[in-house]
Amino acid sequence: MSTAFSRCAVAAGGALASGLLVLGAAGAPASAGQLPGVTFYTGAHGTGTAISADLDTVGACHELPAGVHSFRSISERGVEVFFNSDCRPGAPGTTGDLRYVVGTLNTGDFPYTAVSYRVLG
């Protein structure tokens, strides 16, 4: 490793460490209630009407007030999304094992219109 490269690596490492210290000083959220949560959207790509998921009731099935096509998740809990009412797996109007699991930090579009969801523990 050349001396010039070593100095550059040390400088970059120092900048990264100071950035992490600043983020740590800002403080992390104390609980899941302070995170934005899971938001469903009636349109694709996070457009349309926003509907917030109720993350306080783990394991209970929730019916969405309108069909949703996309989501944004910044949460400590995952959510299972269903394309049939009553959290029944399967493609719309069918039975099967199809469901969509929204992770804790992601965004995306559903393959079908989602109509119900269940919060994972």
Side-chain angles (χ1 to χ4, degrees):
M1 188 183 310
S2 73
T3 305
F5 182 76
S6 297
R7 287 183 192 147
C8 184
V10 168
L16 176 62
S18 66
L20 291 173
L21 287 173
V22 168
L23 286 175
S31 69
Q34 292 179 326
L35 295 175
V38 177
T39 304
F40 299 114
Y41 297 93
T42 57
H45 314 300
T47 62
T49 303
I51 301 168
S52 295
D54 175 6
L55 300 179
D56 294 330
T57 313
V58 175
C61 183
H62 298 272
E63 299 295 323
L64 289 160
V68 297
H69 297 276
S70 59
F71 68 94
R72 182 194 63 180
S73 176
I74 304 172
S75 170
E76 289 183 354
R77 292 193 173 127
V79 175
E80 283 182 306
V81 178
F82 300 89
F83 309 110
N84 291 303
S85 61
D86 299 322
C87 296
R88 288 187 333 258
T94 67
T95 57
D97 61 355
L98 178 67
R99 66 184 180 277
Y100 194 102
V101 178
V102 172
T104 58
L105 182 61
N106 61 3
T107 184
D109 292 341
F110 297 118
Y112 303 105
T113 301
V115 297
S116 61
Y117 70 94
R118 178 180 297 128
V119 179
L120 301 171

XYZ file of all heavy atoms in Angstrom:
846
model
N 0.852 -1.169 0.000
C 0.000 0.000 0.000
C 0.893 1.226 0.000
O 1.833 1.314 0.772
C -0.896 -0.031 1.245
C -1.943 1.040 1.244
S -3.001 1.127 2.711
C -3.600 -0.461 2.999
N 0.616 2.178 -0.868
C 1.438 3.377 -0.932
C 1.100 4.311 0.215
O 0.032 4.247 0.805
C 1.222 4.089 -2.272
O -0.038 4.700 -2.285
N 2.016 5.218 0.497
C 1.813 6.192 1.576
C 0.636 7.104 1.271
O -0.174 7.404 2.146
C 3.098 7.025 1.781
O 4.169 6.131 2.014
C 2.946 7.975 2.937
N 0.502 7.536 0.011
C -0.604 8.423 -0.370
C -1.945 7.711 -0.162
O -2.903 8.294 0.338
C -0.455 8.878 -1.812
N -2.007 6.440 -0.558
C -3.243 5.681 -0.384
C -3.548 5.481 1.095
O -4.688 5.573 1.519
C -3.145 4.332 -1.103
C -4.412 3.538 -1.002
C -5.514 3.865 -1.769
C -4.504 2.466 -0.133
C -6.693 3.142 -1.672
C -5.674 1.738 -0.029
C -6.770 2.079 -0.805
N -2.522 5.208 1.901
C -2.709 5.004 3.336
C -3.279 6.250 3.991
O -4.197 6.177 4.796
C -1.387 4.645 4.011
O -0.890 3.438 3.506
N -2.753 7.421 3.625
C -3.247 8.671 4.186
C -4.702 8.909 3.795
O -5.510 9.358 4.593
C -2.384 9.835 3.725
C -1.038 9.885 4.382
C -0.262 11.098 3.951
N 1.124 10.967 4.383
C 2.151 11.436 3.746
N 1.975 12.096 2.607
N 3.356 11.281 4.214
N -5.020 8.596 2.545
C -6.397 8.763 2.066
C -7.338 7.824 2.814
O -8.428 8.218 3.216
C -6.456 8.492 0.561
S -8.081 8.789 -0.159
N -6.922 6.586 3.019
C -7.750 5.618 3.740
C -7.958 6.044 5.185
O -9.054 5.936 5.730
C -7.118 4.230 3.678
N -6.910 6.544 5.823
C -7.016 7.015 7.205
C -7.955 8.204 7.284
O -8.816 8.295 8.168
C -5.618 7.362 7.776
C -5.737 8.110 9.089
C -4.798 6.096 7.957
N -7.847 9.143 6.337
C -8.723 10.317 6.320
C -10.174 9.909 6.115
O -11.086 10.406 6.778
C -8.286 11.295 5.242
N -10.400 8.968 5.194
C -11.766 8.508 4.934
C -12.321 7.791 6.159
O -13.487 7.972 6.528
C -11.785 7.587 3.719
N -11.503 6.975 6.798
C -11.939 6.277 8.014
C -12.276 7.249 9.123
O -13.259 7.090 9.842
N -11.458 8.296 9.263
C -11.728 9.321 10.279
C -13.015 10.063 9.996
O -13.803 10.349 10.902
N -13.272 10.383 8.731
C -14.515 11.080 8.362
C -15.721 10.196 8.645
O -16.744 10.660 9.152
C -14.470 11.483 6.895
N -15.604 8.911 8.322
C -16.702 7.985 8.588
C -16.961 7.867 10.082
O -18.103 7.925 10.535
C -16.384 6.611 7.998
C -17.409 5.512 8.272
C -18.760 5.882 7.659
C -16.934 4.185 7.746
N -15.923 7.738 10.869
C -16.070 7.606 12.320
C -16.709 8.857 12.912
O -17.601 8.780 13.761
C -14.721 7.339 12.966
N -16.286 10.050 12.455
C -16.882 11.271 12.997
C -18.342 11.391 12.591
O -19.170 11.868 13.358
C -16.089 12.501 12.557
O -16.185 12.682 11.166
N -18.674 10.931 11.373
C -20.077 10.942 10.944
C -20.929 10.022 11.794
O -22.045 10.351 12.167
N -20.389 8.860 12.124
C -21.118 7.930 12.979
C -21.297 8.493 14.385
O -22.337 8.303 15.013
C -20.416 6.575 13.025
C -20.452 5.777 11.732
C -19.583 4.526 11.855
C -21.868 5.408 11.349
N -20.283 9.189 14.883
C -20.404 9.820 16.201
C -21.490 10.887 16.206
O -22.263 11.010 17.147
C -19.072 10.420 16.642
C -18.007 9.421 17.069
C -16.687 10.135 17.318
C -18.451 8.670 18.305
N -21.566 11.666 15.138
C -22.603 12.692 15.033
C -23.977 12.042 15.004
O -24.908 12.479 15.678
C -22.380 13.574 13.781
C -23.586 14.446 13.495
C -21.140 14.423 13.954
N -24.116 10.957 14.239
C -25.401 10.256 14.204
C -25.747 9.695 15.579
O -26.886 9.753 16.015
C -25.368 9.119 13.186
C -25.419 9.533 11.722
C -25.244 8.311 10.830
C -26.716 10.238 11.407
N -24.768 9.149 16.264
C -25.003 8.619 17.603
C -25.384 9.709 18.577
O -26.226 9.526 19.447
N -24.774 10.874 18.444
C -25.087 11.990 19.336
C -26.501 12.496 19.118
O -27.149 12.986 20.035
C -24.084 13.122 19.114
N -26.998 12.363 17.891
C -28.357 12.818 17.605
C -29.376 11.936 18.312
O -30.497 12.351 18.554
C -28.610 12.806 16.100
N -28.994 10.729 18.635
C -29.874 9.837 19.369
C -30.747 9.008 18.445
O -31.209 9.474 17.419
N -30.950 7.784 18.831
C -31.837 6.897 18.086
C -33.218 6.959 18.709
O -33.363 7.312 19.874
C -31.285 5.469 18.156
N -34.251 6.619 17.943
C -35.587 6.600 18.515
C -35.654 5.655 19.711
O -35.059 4.589 19.698
C -36.464 6.076 17.366
C -35.678 6.362 16.129
C -34.236 6.284 16.537
N -36.371 6.047 20.736
C -36.460 5.255 21.960
C -37.375 4.055 21.805
O -37.230 3.068 22.492
C -36.942 6.140 23.109
N -38.349 4.129 20.904
C -39.283 3.015 20.741
C -39.807 2.983 19.323
O -39.616 3.912 18.552
C -40.454 3.167 21.719
O -41.253 4.273 21.329
N -40.497 1.890 18.996
C -41.065 1.736 17.656
C -42.084 2.824 17.368
O -42.300 3.184 16.222
C -41.705 0.364 17.511
N -42.714 3.361 18.386
C -43.708 4.405 18.195
C -43.121 5.664 17.601
O -43.835 6.476 17.018
N -41.813 5.851 17.708
C -41.175 7.040 17.163
C -40.728 6.849 15.715
O -40.375 7.807 15.057
C -39.991 7.442 18.028
C -40.422 7.936 19.394
C -39.234 8.319 20.242
O -38.171 7.720 20.152
N -39.420 9.313 21.083
N -40.720 5.638 15.222
C -40.397 5.392 13.829
C -41.622 5.704 12.975
O -42.750 5.600 13.454
C -39.977 3.934 13.633
C -38.697 3.506 14.340
C -38.459 2.022 14.169
C -37.511 4.295 13.830
N -41.421 6.071 11.712
C -42.577 6.404 10.866
C -43.593 5.275 10.714
O -44.771 5.522 10.530
C -41.940 6.751 9.525
C -40.561 7.196 9.867
C -40.161 6.362 11.056
N -43.163 4.014 10.771
C -44.098 2.898 10.671
C -44.242 2.381 9.252
O -43.377 2.558 8.412
N -45.377 1.733 8.996
C -45.679 1.186 7.681
C -46.840 1.986 7.101
O -47.879 2.121 7.743
C -46.046 -0.313 7.763
C -46.434 -0.850 6.399
C -44.890 -1.112 8.348
N -46.632 2.495 5.904
C -47.671 3.263 5.230
C -47.992 2.586 3.916
O -47.096 2.249 3.140
C -47.197 4.712 4.961
O -46.796 5.296 6.195
C -48.309 5.543 4.346
N -49.279 2.363 3.688
C -49.758 1.800 2.428
C -50.263 2.943 1.554
O -50.735 3.954 2.056
C -50.898 0.815 2.677
C -50.504 -0.367 3.523
C -51.047 -0.545 4.781
C -49.597 -1.304 3.055
C -50.702 -1.639 5.560
C -49.235 -2.400 3.836
C -49.799 -2.563 5.090
N -50.193 2.753 0.236
C -50.654 3.776 -0.704
C -51.605 3.160 -1.724
O -51.372 2.045 -2.199
C -49.461 4.405 -1.437
C -48.519 5.116 -0.503
C -47.409 4.478 0.034
C -48.762 6.431 -0.125
C -46.564 5.123 0.909
C -47.910 7.092 0.752
C -46.814 6.435 1.260
O -45.980 7.074 2.131
N -52.645 3.906 -2.066
C -53.629 3.400 -3.019
C -53.104 3.367 -4.445
O -53.644 2.660 -5.287
C -54.925 4.236 -2.967
O -54.596 5.611 -3.217
C -55.612 4.102 -1.617
N -52.035 4.096 -4.728
C -51.431 4.089 -6.056
C -50.085 3.391 -6.054
O -49.523 3.078 -5.006
N -49.571 3.161 -7.232
C -48.250 2.543 -7.381
C -47.162 3.543 -7.008
O -47.362 4.755 -7.064
C -48.054 2.074 -8.817
N -46.012 3.040 -6.623
C -44.812 3.846 -6.338
C -45.036 4.904 -5.260
O -44.504 6.008 -5.347
C -44.285 4.508 -7.607
C -44.195 3.611 -8.792
N -43.419 2.476 -8.814
C -44.829 3.663 -9.993
C -43.559 1.876 -9.982
N -44.408 2.567 -10.710
N -45.821 4.592 -4.243
C -46.035 5.518 -3.126
C -46.891 6.723 -3.484
O -46.714 7.784 -2.905
N -47.815 6.557 -4.399
C -48.706 7.652 -4.782
C -50.127 7.356 -4.302
O -50.431 6.256 -3.862
C -48.723 7.849 -6.307
O -49.219 6.651 -6.928
C -47.334 8.167 -6.831
N -50.970 8.332 -4.396
C -52.360 8.152 -3.994
C -52.549 8.424 -2.521
O -51.715 9.054 -1.861
N -53.636 7.949 -1.982
C -53.975 8.151 -0.575
C -53.092 7.287 0.315
O -52.898 6.101 0.043
C -55.458 7.809 -0.329
O -56.254 8.614 -1.201
C -55.851 8.050 1.101
N -52.571 7.871 1.383
C -51.730 7.154 2.342
C -52.598 6.579 3.459
O -53.484 7.266 3.977
C -50.684 8.087 2.927
N -52.336 5.336 3.831
C -53.048 4.655 4.911
C -52.003 4.084 5.854
O -51.198 3.238 5.461
C -53.946 3.530 4.365
C -54.966 4.093 3.374
C -54.628 2.783 5.501
C -55.701 3.034 2.577
N -52.003 4.509 7.109
C -51.041 4.018 8.098
C -51.499 2.687 8.681
O -52.670 2.515 9.020
C -50.880 5.030 9.234
O -50.316 6.215 8.743
N -50.557 1.753 8.798
C -50.857 0.458 9.409
C -50.881 0.610 10.925
O -50.092 1.357 11.505
C -49.795 -0.560 9.009
N -51.790 -0.105 11.571
C -51.867 -0.152 13.029
C -50.893 -1.230 13.496
O -51.186 -2.417 13.404
C -53.295 -0.478 13.461
C -53.435 -0.670 14.960
O -52.453 -0.447 15.697
O -54.531 -1.052 15.398
N -49.734 -0.824 13.977
C -48.694 -1.768 14.372
C -48.796 -2.212 15.825
O -48.002 -3.027 16.284
C -47.315 -1.155 14.113
C -47.023 -0.788 12.663
C -45.636 -0.160 12.549
C -47.147 -1.991 11.749
N -49.772 -1.706 16.553
C -49.903 -2.031 17.971
C -50.578 -3.372 18.225
O -50.433 -3.943 19.297
C -50.681 -0.923 18.694
C -49.910 0.386 18.712
O -48.661 0.346 18.722
O -50.553 1.444 18.685
N -51.325 -3.894 17.272
C -52.055 -5.137 17.465
C -51.370 -6.256 16.689
O -51.684 -6.517 15.535
C -53.525 -4.986 16.994
O -54.051 -3.783 17.531
C -54.366 -6.148 17.453
N -50.425 -6.912 17.332
C -49.662 -7.986 16.697
C -50.546 -9.218 16.541
O -51.254 -9.615 17.464
C -48.408 -8.319 17.531
C -47.667 -9.515 16.958
C -47.500 -7.110 17.625
N -50.516 -9.804 15.344
C -51.228 -11.054 15.086
C -52.673 -10.902 14.664
O -53.252 -11.844 14.141
N -53.286 -9.754 14.852
C -54.695 -9.553 14.474
C -54.767 -9.175 12.996
O -53.910 -8.484 12.470
C -55.330 -8.468 15.321
N -55.820 -9.624 12.335
C -56.049 -9.288 10.934
C -56.714 -7.917 10.856
O -57.637 -7.619 11.605
C -56.934 -10.341 10.275
S -57.194 -10.031 8.518
N -56.225 -7.086 9.955
C -56.792 -5.754 9.721
C -57.250 -5.666 8.270
O -56.490 -6.001 7.364
C -55.748 -4.665 9.958
C -55.221 -4.620 11.355
N -55.818 -3.899 12.348
C -54.136 -5.213 11.906
C -55.126 -4.044 13.465
N -54.102 -4.844 13.219
N -58.471 -5.200 8.065
C -58.961 -4.939 6.709
C -58.580 -3.516 6.339
O -58.734 -2.593 7.142
C -60.489 -5.102 6.653
C -60.976 -6.490 7.020
C -60.536 -7.577 6.051
O -60.491 -7.319 4.828
O -60.226 -8.680 6.515
N -58.078 -3.324 5.157
C -57.738 -1.979 4.696
C -58.998 -1.268 4.213
O -59.873 -1.905 3.607
C -56.704 -2.065 3.572
C -55.315 -2.490 4.042
C -54.477 -3.029 2.889
C -54.620 -1.313 4.700
N -59.125 0.037 4.467
C -60.325 0.764 4.051
C -60.431 0.912 2.530
O -61.507 1.170 2.006
C -60.178 2.128 4.723
C -58.724 2.279 5.003
C -58.195 0.885 5.206
N -59.340 0.736 1.823
C -59.310 0.779 0.359
C -58.194 -0.145 -0.111
O -57.249 -0.414 0.635
C -59.040 2.206 -0.123
N -58.306 -0.635 -1.318
C -57.242 -1.462 -1.871
C -55.971 -0.644 -2.034
O -56.020 0.537 -2.389
N -54.827 -1.244 -1.729
C -53.557 -0.536 -1.828
C -52.643 -1.237 -2.832
O -52.745 -2.438 -3.052
C -52.866 -0.405 -0.452
C -53.718 0.427 0.493
C -52.570 -1.756 0.166
N -51.737 -0.439 -3.424
C -50.859 -0.950 -4.469
C -49.382 -0.818 -4.146
O -48.549 -1.388 -4.848
C -51.170 -0.234 -5.783
C -52.559 -0.503 -6.265
N -52.891 -1.621 -6.989
C -53.709 0.184 -6.091
C -54.180 -1.610 -7.256
N -54.704 -0.518 -6.706
N -49.036 -0.054 -3.098
C -47.630 0.116 -2.754
C -47.485 0.409 -1.270
O -48.479 0.602 -0.566
C -47.002 1.234 -3.598
O -47.657 2.460 -3.403
N -46.246 0.460 -0.798
C -45.994 0.659 0.630
C -44.639 1.301 0.866
O -43.761 1.295 0.003
C -46.046 -0.677 1.376
C -44.909 -1.584 1.014
C -43.742 -1.595 1.776
C -44.969 -2.413 -0.090
C -42.673 -2.416 1.433
C -43.909 -3.231 -0.441
C -42.767 -3.230 0.326
N -44.468 1.815 2.089
C -43.179 2.292 2.604
C -43.109 1.812 4.049
O -44.049 1.997 4.813
C -43.078 3.803 2.567
C -41.708 4.289 3.065
C -41.696 5.741 3.352
N -42.670 5.941 4.438
C -42.959 7.101 4.983
N -42.409 8.186 4.545
N -43.823 7.193 5.956
N -42.012 1.194 4.426
C -41.875 0.647 5.773
C -40.581 1.120 6.417
O -39.498 0.879 5.893
C -41.892 -0.882 5.710
O -41.666 -1.426 6.987
N -40.721 1.795 7.562
C -39.598 2.153 8.429
C -40.089 1.830 9.831
O -40.669 2.664 10.515
C -39.212 3.640 8.289
C -38.903 3.978 6.844
C -38.033 3.963 9.201
C -38.698 5.450 6.578
N -39.906 0.595 10.234
C -40.551 0.084 11.439
C -39.713 -1.017 12.071
O -38.857 -1.601 11.412
C -41.929 -0.472 11.051
O -42.510 -1.166 12.108
N -40.002 -1.314 13.319
C -39.353 -2.446 13.977
C -40.151 -3.735 13.785
O -39.721 -4.789 14.220
C -39.187 -2.164 15.474
C -38.136 -1.117 15.745
C -37.906 -0.890 17.221
O -38.640 -1.466 18.049
O -36.995 -0.130 17.555
N -41.302 -3.651 13.142
C -42.148 -4.829 12.928
C -42.419 -5.030 11.446
O -42.651 -4.086 10.711
C -43.478 -4.656 13.652
C -43.325 -4.667 15.143
C -44.663 -4.819 15.807
N -44.474 -4.981 17.224
C -45.070 -4.249 18.130
N -45.925 -3.319 17.776
N -44.846 -4.455 19.410
N -42.430 -6.294 11.039
C -42.818 -6.643 9.681
C -44.330 -6.805 9.604
O -45.014 -6.908 10.627
N -44.844 -6.827 8.396
C -46.283 -6.942 8.174
C -46.517 -7.926 7.032
O -45.877 -7.833 5.988
C -46.885 -5.560 7.814
C -48.348 -5.675 7.452
C -46.706 -4.582 8.966
N -47.444 -8.872 7.241
C -47.893 -9.762 6.172
C -49.059 -9.088 5.476
O -49.997 -8.642 6.131
C -48.401 -11.088 6.736
C -47.355 -12.052 7.167
C -47.978 -13.340 7.651
O -48.843 -13.292 8.540
O -47.598 -14.394 7.132
N -49.006 -9.017 4.157
C -50.052 -8.367 3.383
C -50.749 -9.429 2.537
O -50.103 -10.286 1.940
C -49.448 -7.259 2.492
C -50.510 -6.605 1.646
C -48.735 -6.226 3.358
N -52.081 -9.331 2.475
C -52.891 -10.331 1.778
C -53.715 -9.691 0.671
O -54.124 -8.534 0.777
C -53.807 -11.045 2.777
C -53.046 -11.758 3.859
C -52.701 -11.095 5.023
C -52.648 -13.064 3.696
C -51.990 -11.734 6.029
C -51.927 -13.714 4.687
C -51.597 -13.048 5.855
N -54.005 -10.466 -0.353
C -54.752 -9.988 -1.505
C -56.203 -10.444 -1.460
O -56.964 -10.237 -2.408
C -54.053 -10.449 -2.789
C -52.587 -10.098 -2.754
C -51.619 -11.081 -2.630
C -52.172 -8.775 -2.792
C -50.269 -10.758 -2.569
C -50.823 -8.439 -2.730
C -49.877 -9.434 -2.620
N -56.593 -11.054 -0.331
C -57.972 -11.447 -0.046
C -58.350 -10.891 1.321
O -57.482 -10.646 2.166
C -58.115 -12.979 -0.028
C -57.944 -13.585 -1.393
O -58.657 -13.237 -2.320
N -56.974 -14.481 -1.536
N -59.628 -10.716 1.560
C -60.079 -10.236 2.867
C -59.829 -11.297 3.931
O -59.545 -12.462 3.615
C -61.558 -9.871 2.806
O -62.324 -11.005 2.464
N -59.921 -10.902 5.187
C -59.737 -11.783 6.340
C -58.356 -12.438 6.389
O -58.198 -13.533 6.940
C -60.826 -12.863 6.387
C -62.211 -12.283 6.505
O -62.370 -11.274 7.226
O -63.137 -12.816 5.856
N -57.370 -11.797 5.790
C -55.981 -12.287 5.798
C -55.857 -13.709 5.258
O -55.067 -14.518 5.746
C -55.384 -12.171 7.200
S -55.262 -10.458 7.761
N -56.653 -14.001 4.240
C -56.582 -15.312 3.588
C -55.505 -15.271 2.506
O -55.545 -14.420 1.622
C -57.921 -15.678 2.960
C -58.988 -16.035 3.957
C -60.251 -16.554 3.270
N -60.420 -16.044 1.910
C -61.256 -15.052 1.585
N -62.004 -14.479 2.489
N -61.345 -14.655 0.326
N -54.540 -16.190 2.560
C -53.502 -16.221 1.530
C -54.058 -16.658 0.177
O -55.096 -17.309 0.096
C -52.484 -17.225 2.063
C -53.147 -17.957 3.154
C -54.340 -17.179 3.594
N -53.354 -16.304 -0.864
C -53.734 -16.660 -2.229
C -53.838 -15.420 -3.096
O -53.930 -14.302 -2.603
N -53.821 -15.635 -4.395
C -54.048 -14.533 -5.333
C -55.495 -14.068 -5.159
O -56.326 -14.794 -4.591
C -53.789 -15.001 -6.759
N -55.836 -12.882 -5.620
C -57.203 -12.381 -5.433
C -58.259 -13.384 -5.905
O -58.189 -13.894 -7.021
C -57.239 -11.112 -6.287
C -55.822 -10.662 -6.354
C -55.012 -11.927 -6.368
N -59.182 -13.697 -5.008
C -60.283 -14.604 -5.327
C -59.922 -16.071 -5.369
O -60.739 -16.900 -5.748
N -58.702 -16.419 -4.973
C -58.287 -17.829 -4.986
C -57.719 -18.210 -3.626
O -57.442 -17.359 -2.791
C -57.200 -18.098 -6.050
O -56.002 -17.421 -5.670
C -57.637 -17.625 -7.422
N -57.519 -19.506 -3.433
C -56.834 -19.969 -2.229
C -55.429 -20.383 -2.628
O -55.157 -20.684 -3.783
C -57.564 -21.168 -1.582
O -57.661 -22.212 -2.554
C -58.948 -20.764 -1.116
N -54.549 -20.406 -1.678
C -53.158 -20.768 -1.934
C -52.293 -20.264 -0.800
O -52.795 -19.949 0.276
N -51.005 -20.148 -1.054
C -50.109 -19.686 0.001
C -49.507 -18.313 -0.309
O -48.604 -17.867 0.388
C -49.008 -20.707 0.260
C -48.126 -20.958 -0.945
O -48.416 -20.407 -2.021
O -47.143 -21.702 -0.819
N -50.015 -17.621 -1.321
C -49.476 -16.326 -1.698
C -49.829 -15.247 -0.678
O -50.987 -15.068 -0.307
C -50.011 -15.904 -3.079
C -49.543 -14.536 -3.568
C -48.044 -14.548 -3.842
C -50.313 -14.137 -4.811
N -48.815 -14.568 -0.209
C -48.936 -13.377 0.630
C -47.652 -12.594 0.439
O -46.692 -13.105 -0.113
C -49.181 -13.735 2.085
C -48.033 -14.439 2.747
C -48.405 -14.855 4.162
N -47.330 -15.523 4.818
C -47.030 -16.802 4.701
N -47.737 -17.572 3.907
N -46.029 -17.321 5.352
N -47.637 -11.372 0.879
C -46.466 -10.510 0.693
C -46.001 -10.074 2.067
O -46.802 -9.594 2.859
C -46.874 -9.295 -0.146
C -45.729 -8.500 -0.699
C -45.358 -8.634 -2.034
C -45.037 -7.592 0.086
C -44.317 -7.886 -2.562
C -43.998 -6.847 -0.438
C -43.645 -7.004 -1.763
O -42.617 -6.258 -2.282
N -44.729 -10.241 2.372
C -44.202 -9.827 3.672
C -43.424 -8.529 3.486
O -42.450 -8.479 2.747
C -43.314 -10.913 4.307
C -42.740 -10.419 5.625
C -44.107 -12.196 4.507
N -43.918 -7.485 4.147
C -43.263 -6.183 4.128
C -42.230 -6.194 5.240
O -42.561 -6.407 6.400
C -44.306 -5.058 4.366
C -43.635 -3.729 4.556
C -45.296 -5.019 3.222
N -40.991 -5.987 4.899
C -39.916 -5.974 5.885
C -39.930 -4.716 6.730
O -40.827 -3.881 6.631
N -38.916 -4.568 7.536
C -38.878 -3.446 8.472
C -38.305 -2.170 7.868
O -38.515 -1.091 8.412
C -38.055 -3.819 9.711
O -36.737 -4.188 9.296
C -38.707 -4.962 10.471
N -37.602 -2.286 6.763
C -37.014 -1.103 6.140
C -36.980 -1.312 4.630
O -35.986 -1.764 4.075
C -35.598 -0.851 6.673
C -34.884 0.387 6.150
C -35.656 1.653 6.507
C -33.474 0.459 6.686
N -38.097 -1.024 3.978
C -38.130 -1.140 2.521
C -39.348 -0.426 1.941
O -40.168 0.127 2.664
C -38.068 -2.603 2.066
C -39.216 -3.437 2.554
O -40.126 -2.964 3.208
N -39.187 -4.713 2.247
N -39.437 -0.460 0.651
C -40.530 0.166 -0.070
C -40.771 -0.635 -1.336
O -39.864 -1.322 -1.806
C -40.202 1.640 -0.392
O -41.322 2.250 -1.017
C -38.990 1.776 -1.275
N -41.983 -0.575 -1.865
C -42.235 -1.310 -3.095
C -43.684 -1.302 -3.510
O -44.542 -0.684 -2.872
N -43.937 -2.021 -4.593
C -45.280 -2.176 -5.140
C -45.712 -3.630 -4.952
O -44.888 -4.545 -5.015
C -45.304 -1.845 -6.628
C -45.068 -0.371 -6.904
O -45.237 0.452 -5.989
O -44.721 -0.041 -8.055
N -47.000 -3.837 -4.753
C -47.550 -5.189 -4.619
C -47.880 -5.753 -6.004
O -48.231 -4.991 -6.914
C -48.814 -5.170 -3.756
C -48.573 -4.712 -2.344
C -49.191 -3.572 -1.854
C -47.736 -5.411 -1.500
C -48.982 -3.137 -0.555
C -47.510 -4.986 -0.197
C -48.140 -3.852 0.266
N -47.840 -7.082 -6.152
C -48.179 -7.674 -7.452
C -49.680 -7.614 -7.750
O -50.081 -7.673 -8.908
C -47.693 -9.118 -7.324
C -47.690 -9.389 -5.860
C -47.383 -8.080 -5.193
N -50.493 -7.528 -6.717
C -51.947 -7.406 -6.829
C -52.422 -6.353 -5.841
O -51.668 -5.942 -4.973
C -52.658 -8.733 -6.474
C -52.241 -9.906 -7.301
C -51.407 -10.900 -6.786
C -52.691 -10.063 -8.613
C -51.027 -11.991 -7.540
C -52.315 -11.157 -9.374
C -51.488 -12.113 -8.838
O -51.115 -13.200 -9.587
N -53.680 -5.985 -5.931
C -54.251 -5.043 -4.959
C -54.357 -5.730 -3.608
O -54.966 -6.784 -3.478
C -55.644 -4.586 -5.425
O -55.520 -3.975 -6.712
C -56.245 -3.595 -4.445
N -53.747 -5.134 -2.601
C -53.776 -5.683 -1.241
C -54.998 -5.155 -0.509
O -55.347 -3.974 -0.636
C -52.506 -5.322 -0.491
N -55.652 -6.038 0.284
C -56.882 -5.634 0.970
C -56.874 -5.905 2.477
O -57.752 -5.431 3.187
C -58.130 -6.280 0.318
C -58.290 -5.794 -1.117
C -58.052 -7.800 0.369
N -55.903 -6.676 2.978
C -55.827 -6.930 4.426
C -54.378 -7.176 4.820
O -53.524 -7.443 3.981
C -56.723 -8.121 4.824
O -56.316 -9.311 4.189
N -54.111 -7.061 6.138
C -52.742 -7.253 6.625
C -52.757 -7.737 8.069
O -53.729 -7.596 8.787
C -51.916 -5.974 6.496
C -52.315 -4.860 7.437
C -51.674 -4.705 8.657
C -53.335 -3.974 7.105
C -52.043 -3.678 9.533
C -53.708 -2.951 7.965
C -53.064 -2.823 9.178
O -53.428 -1.822 10.048
N -51.596 -8.328 8.473
C -51.396 -8.793 9.844
C -49.995 -8.389 10.278
O -49.025 -8.595 9.545
C -51.526 -10.304 9.902
C -51.284 -10.900 11.282
C -51.417 -12.414 11.303
N -52.772 -12.799 10.964
C -53.094 -13.695 10.015
N -52.162 -14.298 9.310
N -54.347 -13.989 9.782
N -49.879 -7.807 11.477
C -48.593 -7.372 12.007
C -47.866 -8.580 12.610
O -48.455 -9.342 13.378
C -48.782 -6.262 13.058
C -47.441 -5.832 13.638
C -49.518 -5.073 12.463
N -46.606 -8.718 12.253
C -45.789 -9.807 12.784
C -45.115 -9.371 14.079
O -44.788 -8.207 14.245
C -44.725 -10.203 11.761
C -45.264 -10.658 10.395
C -44.127 -10.816 9.409
C -46.045 -11.940 10.555
N -44.923 -10.296 14.976
C -44.314 -10.011 16.277
C -42.880 -9.858 16.162
O -42.037 -9.199 16.352
